[in-house]
Amino acid sequence: MDLTYRPRRLRRTSGLRSMVQEHSLNPADFIYPLFVHEGDHVEPISAMPGVNRWSLDNLMGEVERAWKLGIKSVVLFPKVDEALKTEDAAECFNEKGLIPRAIRRLKKELPEMTIMTDVALDPYSCDGHDGIVSSEGVVLNDETIEYLCRQAVVQAQAGADLIGPSDMMDGRVGAIREALDDEGYEHVGIISYTAKYSSAYYGPFREALDSAPREASIKPIPKDKSTYQMNPANAREAITEAQLDEQEGADILMVKPGLAYMDIVYRLRQESELPIAAYNVSGEYAMVKAAAEKGWIDERAVVLETLLSFRRAGADLILTYHACDAAEWLRQV
Ligand code: PBG
């Protein structure tokens, strides 16, 4: 054939292929999510093989392992004792709570590790919602924000580097920014869960924290989070959320879940000059693990391809439970 253009020329050898490779993975772009609990043992999470709830003592070892693999950031989630959960979730701003203690300890032992937190009420709420549920069953916005601000300040006090509001209340980024600044934490950043969808992919995470919305009791409790998290049918709305978060002072924008929302990652990348993060969530992890256990897919190849696809879509940062495995595999290639 008389062809001028033969794209295969640049695919012929591995040297040529790597020369023209557009995107790559670096463990420094991973944020590694970790679950902590009060116990003194390590507790596996059944729907997330390889992921555990760590005691504070064991958490250190896992974070050091991640650091040695080149991972520079972790995000912490608490499994709070049932007895501490209340309707107003006030445990979320207890200075001596699980998360502030975990942050202090990590910062003492490994000060260079960047610590991101999650700001929302669900792990501390006996109703299992990210905000305060009124007696009529409405998730209250402005009342919740006061609590979120106190939670963020306590986390900053403990040494958090990046505060991650994950609750999707309106106006929380601006309010948290102001609360942090008022207390002298103007250097602490906000990584906002900007476009967080009301998704079934969070199932295994809610098992890990036992944080799913509860049954209605003395008051009605919404069965899902669709009055605050975004409708999976909407894309333009993500841009509105991104614009608001930027105006309110977010430093990094996040899309969540990741895989089913790659178009949103791409759109935000076009719309904003801020760093974009994507959350490769618990349900996405669980699906890969289940298929790999059955021998139906090659786990290593699928994970590295998936993480690379986040970078191609425009994500600078990837929150992923595969972080340590992927970092190890990247060393071997
Ligand atoms: C809590 C929160 C959730 C996740 C991160 N922070 C669950 C939810 O909103 O119900 C999900 C993470 C995952 O599934 O990996 N606000």
Side-chain angles (χ1 to χ4, degrees):
M1 285 169 80
D2 181 21
L3 293 178
T4 307
Y5 297 106
R6 288 183 183 267
R8 286 187 56 190
R9 281 181 203 127
L10 296 183
R11 297 180 202 138
R12 190 172 54 85
T13 68
S14 93
L16 286 163
R17 286 194 296 277
S18 61
M19 246 172 105
V20 298
Q21 174 158 334
E22 296 173 38
H23 297 282
S24 58
L25 286 171
N26 176 354
D29 302 327
F30 298 157
I31 300 178
Y32 182 32
L34 289 159
F35 299 107
V36 288
H37 70 160
E38 288 293 357
D40 50 15
H41 58 293
V42 178
E43 203 168 87
I45 296 161
S46 62
M48 301 176 75
V51 175
N52 301 302
R53 293 182 189 134
W54 301 94
S55 67
L56 289 192
D57 285 338
N58 289 304
L59 176 69
M60 297 305 134
E62 181 64 3
V63 173
E64 261 158 37
R65 179 171 87 95
W67 180 259
K68 286 191 186 128
L69 286 166
I71 294 164
K72 311 248 185 257
S73 176
V74 295
V75 52
L76 303 174
F77 296 101
K79 160 80 172 71
V80 176
D81 282 346
E82 211 53 39
L84 294 173
K85 296 187 184 183
T86 55
E87 277 186 271
D88 72 353
E91 176 65 14
C92 76
F93 53 82
N94 177 359
E95 290 168 26
K96 300 201 175 79
L98 191 53
I99 290 296
R101 272 184 286 135
I103 298 171
R104 284 204 174 85
R105 185 114 175 233
L106 282 180
K107 275 291 165 195
K108 202 164 138 217
E109 293 185 28
L110 199 54
E112 283 172 274
M113 180 62 99
T114 296
I115 301 185
M116 171 185 163
T117 59
D118 190 80
V119 169
L121 303 188
D122 51 327
Y124 311 90
S125 154
C126 60
D127 298 333
H129 275 286
D130 292 26
I132 298 169
V133 184
S134 76
S135 50
E136 287 82 40
V138 175
V139 177
L140 301 171
N141 194 86
D142 302 14
E143 292 79 350
T144 296
I145 285 185
E146 271 183 57
Y147 280 67
L148 300 175
C149 288
R150 295 174 73 173
Q151 184 180 15
V153 167
V154 164
Q155 293 170 345
Q157 242 160 25
D161 300 288
L162 288 172
I163 302 294
S166 73
D167 52 281
M168 292 303 279
M169 298 300 127
D170 293 332
R172 90 276 207 219
V173 170
I176 289 171
R177 184 68 272 156
E178 202 181 315
L180 291 172
D181 292 353
D182 284 351
E183 297 292 328
Y185 298 108
E186 59 288 320
H187 55 283
V188 173
I190 298 180
I191 173 167
S192 175
Y193 289 67
T194 294
K196 179 172 179 182
Y197 286 85
S198 182
S199 169
Y201 283 98
Y202 309 147
F205 175 97
R206 292 180 189 168
E207 179 212 310
L209 297 191
D210 191 17
S211 63
R214 301 292 165 88
E215 291 293 314
S217 51
I218 40 171
K219 66 180 182 193
I221 297 175
K223 280 198 275 301
D224 60 36
K225 301 191 176 183
S226 53
T227 68
Y228 47 105
Q229 297 182 348
M230 285 174 59
N231 181 345
N234 293 356
R236 289 196 316 268
E237 195 185 338
I239 296 172
T240 306
E241 286 285 1
Q243 288 166 347
L244 288 170
D245 279 0
E246 252 195 88
Q247 287 162 19
E248 291 177 31
D251 300 285
I252 301 174
L253 306 179
M254 196 204 298
V255 175
K256 179 183 173 189
L259 281 181
Y261 297 85
M262 286 293 200
D263 57 322
I264 308 299
V265 175
Y266 184 77
R267 280 188 194 222
L268 291 203
R269 175 68 297 152
Q270 309 303 306
E271 288 294 323
S272 174
E273 299 304 327
L274 290 179
I276 306 288
Y279 200 142
N280 178 212
V281 298
S282 59
E284 299 168 6
Y285 177 87
M287 293 193 302
V288 169
K289 283 290 180 179
E293 260 175 29
K294 287 198 174 267
W296 290 348
I297 57 166
D298 175 342
E299 180 180 357
R300 172 184 160 142
V302 164
V303 167
L304 292 178
E305 181 181 333
T306 302
L307 296 179
L308 193 56
S309 71
F310 282 113
R311 302 274 297 136
R312 195 187 61 239
D316 303 287
L317 303 167
I318 309 166
L319 291 88
T320 180
Y321 303 96
H322 298 291
C324 286
D325 285 343
E328 234 161 71
W329 294 326
L330 286 169
R331 282 194 164 178
Q332 292 159 15
V333 286

